[in-house]
Amino acid sequence: MNRSVVLWFVRLIVGIVFLFNVTCALAFIARPGDYAPSFEVSGLPGEILVRGMGILFLMWNATYPPVLARPDRQRTLFAVILAQQAIGVVGETAMWLTLPPGHPALWATGLRFILFDGAGLVGMGLAFWMCYRVSAG
């Protein structure tokens, strides 16, 4: 496959994950009260917790723009993004599996995070492999 096409495909995959992450982060920051019940928290403490998660999501995504700009030259940073994504999936899955019965909101929220981060890990893992192949070849 053409190097330029591969790099644009890689950017598309990374960009989609980045867009969803930033959209989620901004929603958590702008409207934390809408999301607090999904984490079984409420009131001002719940809003601060959710808003804080949004800020953490933004911090976590600070690594994406350089990879979007030059995925072929940012392989180490791309690997860091993959590691972050894997840590998220493993950590979220561990929390979800140890959740006791009687917490349907947390169960559903945890599952949504696992599915999204798992899909992102698979997509970006494929993109990383493609980028590595085209850069090595």
Side-chain angles (χ1 to χ4, degrees), residues 84-98 110 114 117:
Q84 290 171 323
Q85 199 77 16
I87 289 166
V89 172
V90 170
E92 292 155 2
T93 302
M95 286 192 306
W96 188 72
L97 290 173
T98 60
I114 292 165
D117 287 338

Side-chain angles (χ1 to χ4, degrees), residues 21-22 24-30 32 47-62:
N21 285 344
V22 170
C24 179
L26 294 176
F28 279 15
I29 292 167
E47 289 186 16
I48 296 299
L49 175 73
V50 172
R51 187 171 283 129
M53 288 174 54
I55 292 167
L56 290 172
F57 286 1
L58 287 179
M59 290 169 51
W60 169 38
N61 281 275

